[in-house]
């Protein structure tokens, strides 16, 4: 037990703080395009897919509650052909049916005014089955065991694609009950939100009728069907299943057990038990890349759910747990209680990210969830640590407030970014540690009880937390959710055992940023003493009783969403006190020191000086932070005169740790050792370590005759290094193995390796694979991004993408469309590319991509400037070292 002291020392006013301006949820004041006079209450939808033609036909009956007399019914539709419409049994003339394609609206003009009260609308329509994860989509896959090429169907509706499946009031505040009926081939298993109510043979297959859902938002509907199988268990009254394509359900055992554990935890935490009779976790072998929290029927990209104990890496295992925990948190935060409008998407995503991490950390302390890299090396992410990723983007001129206005569908889809997820999570974590875990949970329970089966705004959450904590949570929160950016706290030792604190906005590549202030829930300690807290409400504050000869650590364990910059005396004392700091505080010091370097506040010697002072250790999170930085610098310097010199220095920092770990896993080694070994192999390989490259090649060769000889944890790393330095023959070997396997995880490892090749001839062979169906659609796309990032030839990747943009964009889903082309530019470090992107976007990209284009341009400018600055600083630093010759 530790005691937290609340010290309010100096309040300095004069600069204004943001005040909460939002109001609690009311239906009538919720933004949106649809008129609020007509409310759907119950949908009955029947869909008949035609798999040969990739089309479907549908009918629906919608009961609506008319709250004020209307002449028209206005609802959403997209890429559906409306065949017929009738109201209260009376068919409307064709001239009364109008579709506004641009605004995705269907307007039905009524022959006479509709009176208030209950009415029914019947629609007949047809639509198409898509290749990408938008609306109803299909996937081709290789069946496990038989290798047969099969097809299956799935849906993806968030944010605004339910309207591609059936015409509907497709805004989150329009909650209703949904009853779905589908016709599928007789041997197929069909899955939706609710259990099957009845099944009946009909011409062309069977008709499956699902029970009606409770009141929910349209984007939470789901329909998946194919040659599927499942395993199941039970938690109290809830049936829990993992569903996968035939031959793979047993690989869902780990996810099934995890789901049961998580469900019990959440039933208790939220105070409202999971309300549906069943919870399905559905593995989908393509179509979309992530996971989607459809109520009662969560869909996952296969590798986010299926774990093969013999062949999957421990990173895959951890990722499964964390994704499942995130999605299941949405069953409450998102599904039972839904944000009223997309401007509050963070309520869904920031919360689920925080809750998922909290639950994962609770049951798996060995993972160091809050500290270690939580996202695998994905080309769409730069640094995996949630807090760090959020802060990187939030420091730029292109950032936005967590709560931001959303008017168009495209803006809604663009809201799914690091600020929404990761800054949201990071802020909630800071708030929870400030209010206390129990108080925070009590607030959440109040919130759930008060708003279940309804919608909310952020203010509803603050009100519940304020009631529970008796603290003005909305006042503290406003600065973090309603204004962009975050602060750096400057620490300066003063006479009389004092430390002066000054806050200012922390920015990167952002001149003349508006000055802002935050209410910062600070935590700090004199190293060795109990931690204390201070709500810093003004520009400056003073900490008392800080002995001049003792180290002071601000931001305990790095839980706060702010940076700290220490003056020289404080930094010197901290370096001396390093052995007394826990790993979380050391990682926090490393992260802040690196941030001071890339933001131009300190030279690189500050960061490497700290790295060299740390004892050689095998702490996963600490070493990963260093590895991330070395990798970033290495990529930045590719082709520059400093790159060999830097690689030599970087190897000298990492080799001692690898020597301590060795190539082979040892019995009883700590959990992080396998992960760290893999990271070191991968990064030392990138850094041109000849011993590592030779070791990877030898192990790959042995695995060609005995595939099990490679430890699952090491496979991605070893294959990546082999692919990086591949010749034609090795490239072919990797490709053949990738083609052969029906495991999506294994397949990905081989194709990732193909994207690594330094040899331009080879990546020119890798790139066209993105146009084939060798990889699931969502992954094929990212092959190009991987080449851009990993091969060191972003120019070849871009040339290819530009020539094939139409085909590539046809494979993206709603969330990816705006991001894809600009994203490929972020690996350039040359300002001329920023101009090229501007010109390209103007001629070829829709206006909705503007924000993503601006982000990419900012990133290129940042990299170009940083590269120049770093080169000079590195020369000085490395020349001061006496490095031995390369072996
Ligand atoms: Zn989510």
């Amino acid at each position: 037990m530790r005691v937290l002291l609340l010290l309010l020392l100096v309040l300095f006013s004069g600069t204004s703080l943001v005040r909460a301006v939002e109001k609690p949820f009311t239906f009538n004041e919720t933004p949106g395009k649809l008129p609020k006079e007509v409310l759907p209450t119950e949908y009955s939808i029947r869909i008949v897919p035609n798999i040969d033609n990739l089309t479907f036909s549908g009918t629906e009956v919608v009961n609506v509650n008319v709250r004020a007399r209307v002449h028209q019914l206005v609802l959403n539709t997209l890429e559906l052909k409306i065949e017929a419409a009738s109201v209260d049994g009376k068919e409307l003339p064709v001239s009364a049916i109008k579709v506004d394609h641009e605004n995705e609206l269907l307007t039905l003009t009524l022959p006479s005014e509709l009176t208030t009260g209950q009415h029914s609308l019947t629609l007949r329509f047809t639509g198409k089955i898509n290749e990408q994860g938008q609306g109803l989509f299909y996937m081709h896959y290789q069946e496990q065991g038989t290798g047969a090429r099969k097809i299956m169907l799935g849906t993806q509706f968030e944010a605004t694609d339910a309207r591609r499946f059936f015409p509907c009031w497709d805004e989150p505040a329009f909650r209703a009950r949904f009853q779905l009926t589908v016709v599928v081939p007789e041997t197929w298993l069909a899955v939706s939100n609710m259990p099957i109510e009845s099944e009946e043979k009909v011409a062309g297959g069977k008709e499956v009728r699902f029970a009606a859902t409770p009141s929910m938002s349209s984007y939470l509907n789901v329909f998946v069907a194919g040659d599927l199988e499942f395993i199941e268990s039970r938690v109290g009254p809830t049936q829990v299943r993992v569903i996968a394509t035939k031959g793979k359900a047993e690989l869902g055992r780990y996810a099934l057990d995890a789901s049961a554990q998580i469900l019990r935890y959440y039933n208790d935490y939220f105070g409202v038990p999971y309300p549906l009779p069943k919870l399905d976790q559905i593995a989908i072998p393509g179509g979309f890349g992530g996971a989607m929290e459809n109520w009662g029927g969560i869909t996952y990209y296969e590798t986010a759910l299926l774990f093969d104990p013999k062949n999957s890496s421990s990173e895959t295992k951890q990722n499964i747990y964390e994704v499942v925990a995130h999605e299941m948190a949405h069953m409450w935060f998102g599904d039972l209680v839904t944000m009223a409008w997309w401007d509050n998407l963070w309520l869904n995503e920031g919360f689920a990210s925080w809750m998922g991490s909290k639950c994962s950390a609770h049951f798996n302390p060995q993972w160091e969830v809050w500290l270690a890299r939580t996202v695998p090396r994905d080309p769409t992410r730069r640094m995996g640590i949630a807090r760090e990723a959020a802060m990187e983007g939030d420091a730029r001129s292109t950032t936005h407030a967590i709560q931001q206005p959303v008017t168009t569908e495209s803006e809604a889809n663009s809201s799914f970014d690091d600020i929404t997820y990761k800054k949201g999570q990071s802020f909630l974590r800071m708030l929870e540690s400030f209010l206390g875990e129990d108080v925070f949970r009590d607030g959440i329970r109040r919130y759930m009880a008060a708003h279940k089966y309804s919608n909310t705004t952020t203010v509803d959450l603050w009100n519940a937390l304020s009631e529970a904590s008796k603290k003005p949570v909305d006042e503290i929160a406003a600065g973090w959710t309603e204004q962009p950016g975050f602060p750096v706290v400057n620490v300066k030792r003063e006479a009389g055992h004092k430390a002066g604190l000054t806050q200012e906005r922390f920015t990167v590549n952002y001149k003349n940023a508006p000055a802002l202030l935050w209410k910062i829930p600070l935590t700090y300690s004199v190293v060795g003493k109990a931690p204390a807290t201070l709500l810093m409400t003004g520009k400056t504050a003073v900490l008392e009783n800080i002995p001049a000869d003792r180290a002071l650590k601000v931001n305990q364990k790095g839980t706060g969403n702010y940076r700290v910059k220490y003056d020289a005396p404080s930094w010197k004392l901290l370096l001396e006190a390093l052995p007394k700091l826990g790993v979380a505080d050391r990682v926090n010091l490393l992260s802040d020191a690196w941030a001071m370097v890339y933001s131009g506040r300190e030279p690189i010697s500050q960061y490497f000086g700290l790295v060299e002072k740390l004892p050689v250790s095998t702490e996963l999170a600490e070493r990963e932070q260093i590895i991330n930085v070395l990798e970033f610098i290495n990529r930045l310097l590719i082709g520059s005169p400093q790159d060999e010199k830097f690689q030599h220095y970087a190897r000298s920092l990492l080799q001692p740790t690898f020597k301590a770990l060795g190539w082979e896993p040892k019995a009883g080694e700590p959990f992080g050792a396998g992960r760290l070994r893999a990271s070191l192999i991968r990064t030392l390989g990138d850094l041109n370590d000849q011993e590592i490259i030779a070791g990877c090649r030898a192990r790959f060769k042995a695995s060609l005759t005995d595939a099990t000889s490679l430890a699952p944890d090491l496979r991605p790393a070893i294959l990546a290094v082999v692919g990086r330095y591949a010749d034609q023959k090795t490239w072919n070997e990797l490709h053949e193995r990738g083609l052969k396997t029906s495991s999506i995880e294994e397949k990905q490892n081989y194709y990732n390796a193909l994207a690594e090749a330094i040899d331009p001839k080879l990546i020119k062979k890798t790139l066209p694979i993105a146009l084939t169906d060798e990889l699931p659609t969502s992954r094929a796309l990212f092959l190009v991004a991987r080449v851009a990032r990993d091969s060191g030839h972003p120019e070849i990747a871009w040339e290819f993408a530009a020539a094939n943009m139409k085909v590539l964009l046809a494979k993206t889903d709603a969330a990816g469309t705006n991001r894809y082309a600009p994203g490929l530019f972020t690996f350039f470090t040359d300002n001329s590319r920023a101009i090229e992107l501007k010109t390209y976007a103007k001629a070829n990209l829709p206006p909705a991509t503007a924000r993503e284009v601006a982000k990419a341009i900012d990133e290129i400018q940042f990299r170009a400037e940083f590269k120049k600055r770093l080169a000079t600083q590195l020369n000085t630093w490395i020349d001061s070292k006496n490095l031995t010759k390369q072996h």
Side-chain angles (χ1 to χ4, degrees):
M1 283 288 188
R2 62 172 202 247
V3 184
L4 295 179
L5 302 169
L6 186 70
L7 302 171
L8 281 167
L9 293 172
V10 174
L11 297 172
F12 181 91
S13 59
T15 325
S16 66
L17 284 150
V18 166
R19 308 284 308 191
V21 291
E22 204 183 29
K23 289 191 197 132
F25 166 70
T26 58
F27 179 75
N28 286 342
E29 281 173 69
T30 297
K33 277 186 197 167
L34 299 175
K36 302 267 192 314
E37 286 83 13
V38 178
L39 276 175
T41 53
E42 191 148 10
Y43 293 75
S44 182
I45 308 149
R46 185 174 185 273
I47 301 285
V48 185
N50 182 330
I51 292 151
D52 298 329
N53 294 342
L54 297 176
T55 57
F56 65 91
S57 57
T59 50
E60 68 178 348
V61 179
V62 192
N63 293 336
V64 296
N65 175 20
V66 176
R67 304 158 78 218
R69 300 168 76 89
V70 289
H71 281 286
Q72 291 182 325
L73 293 177
V74 184
L75 56 159
N76 294 111
T77 185
L78 181 58
E79 294 190 351
L80 293 176
K81 188 163 183 294
I82 311 298
E83 311 270 359
S86 54
V87 173
D88 296 332
K90 285 185 214 83
E91 182 141 357
L92 300 179
V94 179
S95 61
I97 305 171
K98 232 188 87 205
V99 175
D100 174 352
H101 296 282
E102 194 183 323
N103 287 303
E104 306 181 5
L105 293 175
L106 167 63
T107 304
L108 304 170
T109 306
L110 307 165
S112 57
E113 220 176 33
L114 213 52
T115 52
T116 55
Q118 293 295 321
H119 295 275
S120 90
L121 164 69
T122 306
L123 290 167
R124 199 148 53 77
F125 50 93
T126 55
K128 60 173 193 173
I129 306 178
N130 293 304
E131 179 190 3
Q132 76 279 35
Q134 275 185 322
L136 182 62
F137 64 94
Y138 69 90
M139 293 141 278
H140 286 293
Y141 64 96
Q142 275 162 280
E143 191 169 71
Q144 181 99 326
T146 67
R149 200 174 144 78
K150 294 257 170 119
I151 191 169
M152 66 175 282
L153 299 178
T155 57
Q156 168 61 33
F157 295 152
E158 195 182 24
T160 56
D161 283 327
R163 63 191 70 170
R164 291 173 187 267
F165 195 50
F166 56 98
C168 54
W169 281 259
D170 199 12
E171 293 179 359
F174 285 86
R175 297 180 85 98
R177 290 159 57 89
F178 297 87
Q179 188 278 310
L180 179 68
T181 304
V182 290
V183 175
V184 294
E186 243 192 291
T187 54
W188 278 21
L189 176 66
V191 190
S192 185
N193 306 82
M194 295 293 283
I196 293 172
E197 217 171 51
S198 66
E199 268 192 29
E200 194 186 323
K201 262 193 192 179
V202 293
K206 61 179 176 184
E207 181 176 285
V208 183
R209 185 188 161 87
F210 298 97
T213 68
S215 161
M216 68 177 199
S217 303
S218 51
Y219 76 91
L220 294 170
N221 279 284
V222 67
F223 163 58
V224 177
D227 272 324
L228 310 175
E229 61 176 26
F230 61 84
I231 52 174
E232 66 180 311
S233 71
R234 190 159 272 283
V235 174
T238 314
Q239 179 196 36
V240 184
R241 301 192 292 182
V242 171
I243 300 172
T245 56
K246 238 175 216 148
K248 286 189 173 174
E250 194 48 45
L251 302 177
R253 187 62 60 186
Y254 173 68
L256 187 69
D257 294 345
S259 302
Q261 184 177 55
I262 296 165
L263 187 55
R264 282 187 206 101
Y265 180 80
Y266 287 167
N267 276 339
D268 173 63
Y269 189 91
F270 290 114
V272 179
Y274 177 74
L276 306 190
K278 62 103 176 167
L279 173 61
D280 286 332
Q281 310 275 22
I282 311 162
I284 291 188
F288 77 133
M292 176 62 212
E293 69 267 23
N294 318 297
W295 213 2
I298 310 174
T299 46
Y300 298 81
Y301 182 61
E302 207 176 273
T303 50
L305 195 66
L306 302 185
F307 176 75
D308 178 352
K310 282 203 224 64
N311 295 302
S312 295
S313 69
S314 58
E315 193 158 340
T316 297
K317 187 177 191 174
Q318 179 175 344
N319 189 52
I320 290 168
Y321 197 101
E322 291 185 21
V323 176
V324 168
H326 174 109
E327 298 307 325
M328 284 179 62
H330 277 311
M331 298 298 103
W332 287 262
F333 246 91
D335 298 2
L336 181 63
V337 181
T338 312
M339 84 262 129
W341 183 243
W342 301 107
D343 55 352
N344 271 310
L345 178 66
W346 92 280
L347 267 184
N348 274 12
E349 297 305 344
F351 191 90
S353 300
W354 168 79
M355 187 83 243
S357 297
K358 182 182 169 74
C359 172
S360 302
H362 176 81
F363 288 111
N364 308 279
Q366 76 283 10
W367 288 346
E368 299 179 352
V369 169
W370 291 114
L371 283 181
R373 169 156 54 199
T374 52
V375 179
R377 292 164 200 269
D378 190 291
T380 59
R381 301 269 181 273
R382 196 159 86 226
M383 299 267 185
I385 301 163
R387 177 176 162 280
E388 293 302 313
M391 285 182 154
E392 279 185 33
D394 203 18
R396 306 298 182 88
S397 62
T398 49
T399 189
H400 59 84
I402 285 181
Q403 293 178 265
Q404 55 173 343
V406 170
T407 41
T408 64
E409 282 77 9
S410 168
E411 282 170 0
N413 282 311
S414 285
S415 305
F416 294 80
D417 66 2
D418 278 352
I419 299 294
T420 301
Y421 281 71
K422 294 176 177 170
K423 187 182 180 184
Q425 145 164 2
S426 189
F427 171 64
L428 287 171
R429 184 167 184 237
M430 178 164 75
L431 189 62
E432 186 206 24
S433 60
F434 180 69
L435 298 179
E437 279 188 76
D438 291 348
V439 171
F440 192 84
R441 187 201 56 216
D442 289 347
I444 298 299
R445 286 180 178 171
R446 276 170 194 264
Y447 173 82
M448 283 295 153
H451 305 288
K452 59 186 174 187
Y453 303 106
S454 182
N455 297 68
T456 53
T457 68
T458 296
V459 168
D460 292 308
L461 178 62
W462 299 154
N463 287 347
L465 288 169
S466 297
E467 281 167 29
S469 66
K470 313 273 183 284
K471 287 188 180 127
V473 174
D474 57 334
E475 279 177 32
I476 301 169
W480 300 92
T481 64
E482 294 180 11
Q483 67 182 14
F486 62 93
V488 53
V489 175
N490 297 296
V491 178
K492 191 170 179 294
R493 295 301 179 108
E494 286 167 2
H497 299 312
K498 285 178 187 162
L501 308 178
T502 316
Q503 63 158 304
E504 62 183 290
R505 186 171 181 183
F506 181 87
T507 56
V508 174
N509 192 38
Y510 188 7
K511 286 194 189 83
N512 308 318
L516 299 170
L517 284 181
W518 287 262
K519 291 196 176 174
I520 311 173
L522 279 178
T523 52
Y524 66 93
S525 77
V526 171
V527 173
K529 283 196 181 170
T533 68
L534 162 70
L535 184 63
M536 185 172 176
T537 56
K539 174 91 181 146
T540 61
V542 173
L543 302 178
E544 309 264 3
N545 298 320
I546 311 291
D549 59 345
R550 296 282 298 275
L552 166 69
K553 173 72 185 35
V554 181
N555 196 359
Q556 291 294 294
K557 299 188 177 179
T559 57
N561 192 72
Y562 53 89
R563 302 252 177 236
V564 183
K565 183 177 183 300
Y566 298 91
D567 66 349
S570 301
W571 187 248
K572 189 167 166 282
L573 288 167
L574 270 170
L575 289 184
E576 285 161 11
L578 281 178
K580 287 187 218 144
L581 292 179
V583 63
D585 280 318
R586 297 203 306 268
V587 170
N588 178 234
L589 280 185
L590 281 164
S591 306
D592 279 354
W594 169 238
M596 295 311 137
V597 174
Y598 68 68
S599 67
R601 286 170 171 79
E602 298 281 3
I604 190 72
S605 53
Q606 173 100 349
Y607 177 78
F608 283 133
L610 169 61
V611 170
E612 292 189 7
K613 274 265 169 25
L614 292 167
V616 174
S617 85
T618 54
E619 297 274 13
L620 178 64
E622 184 179 286
R623 292 295 130 180
E624 285 278 17
Q625 201 287 333
I626 299 166
I627 287 169
N628 272 331
V629 169
L630 297 178
E631 233 177 34
F632 180 80
I633 297 178
N634 188 37
R635 285 176 201 286
L636 196 66
L637 294 182
I638 284 174
S640 75
Q642 289 77 23
D643 65 353
E644 266 185 43
K645 198 195 244 182
F646 169 74
Q647 290 187 341
H648 188 191
Y649 173 64
R651 288 195 300 268
S652 78
L653 293 178
L654 298 183
Q655 279 162 343
T657 312
F658 186 71
K659 292 226 159 71
L661 283 172
W663 278 94
E664 304 307 325
K666 293 175 194 71
E669 65 182 10
F671 167 82
R675 291 273 286 278
L676 183 54
R677 182 179 290 115
S679 268
L680 287 164
I681 290 172
R682 164 78 197 252
T683 302
L684 282 166
D686 280 1
L687 291 167
N688 206 14
D689 185 309
Q690 294 303 316
E691 227 176 281
I692 293 285
I693 296 168
C696 288
R697 282 180 171 151
R699 281 164 178 82
F700 173 64
K701 209 168 163 210
S703 79
L704 289 175
T705 43
D706 175 14
T708 60
S709 66
L710 279 186
D713 270 357
L714 300 188
R715 285 179 200 180
I718 287 179
L719 292 176
V721 174
V722 168
R724 189 165 187 77
Y725 303 98
D727 55 12
Q728 185 66 63
K729 183 169 162 277
T730 313
W731 191 97
N732 289 342
E733 280 164 350
L734 289 165
H735 187 218
E736 261 164 49
R737 308 202 119 220
L739 271 174
K740 234 205 252 144
T741 178
S742 62
S743 155
I744 300 280
E745 182 180 351
E746 212 174 296
K747 204 181 265 295
Q748 197 66 57
N749 287 341
Y750 286 114
Y751 283 90
N752 286 351
L754 297 179
E756 289 270 342
I758 301 176
D759 183 344
K761 278 199 302 296
L762 295 181
I763 50 166
K764 282 181 183 163
K765 283 178 62 141
T766 304
L767 287 164
I769 297 174
L771 306 176
T772 69
D773 55 4
E774 285 181 30
L775 282 172
T777 323
S778 58
R779 286 308 189 254
L781 268 183
F782 284 118
L783 197 61
V784 185
R786 279 200 181 266
V787 170
R789 194 193 73 155
D790 291 339
S791 71
H793 295 293
E795 73 287 354
I796 298 178
W798 171 243
E799 207 176 289
F800 170 83
N804 298 284
M805 192 54 80
K806 226 180 136 194
V807 191
L808 291 168
L809 284 182
K811 290 174 188 263
T812 58
D813 57 16
T817 322
N818 294 343
R819 229 161 265 173
Y820 189 68
L824 293 172
F825 270 85
T826 54
F827 307 106
F828 286 120
T829 56
D830 177 349
N831 269 325
S832 67
R833 294 289 182 171
I835 298 160
E836 185 185 343
L837 173 57
K838 239 182 247 173
T839 318
Y840 179 84
K842 219 171 163 189
N844 299 287
L845 299 177
T849 58
R851 181 190 272 178
E852 297 301 326
V853 170
K855 272 198 215 164
I857 288 173
D858 175 65
E859 184 65 26
I860 300 169
Q861 289 169 342
F862 160 70
R863 286 185 188 220
E865 185 278 323
F866 189 31
K867 185 177 180 171
K868 234 184 276 158
R869 173 154 52 94
L870 203 54
T872 328
Q873 293 177 6
L874 274 171
N875 269 338
T876 318
W877 175 254
I878 297 175
D879 289 347
S880 75
K881 309 271 120 190
N882 207 358
L883 292 174
T884 50
K885 277 267 165 280
Q886 175 172 16
H887 54 264

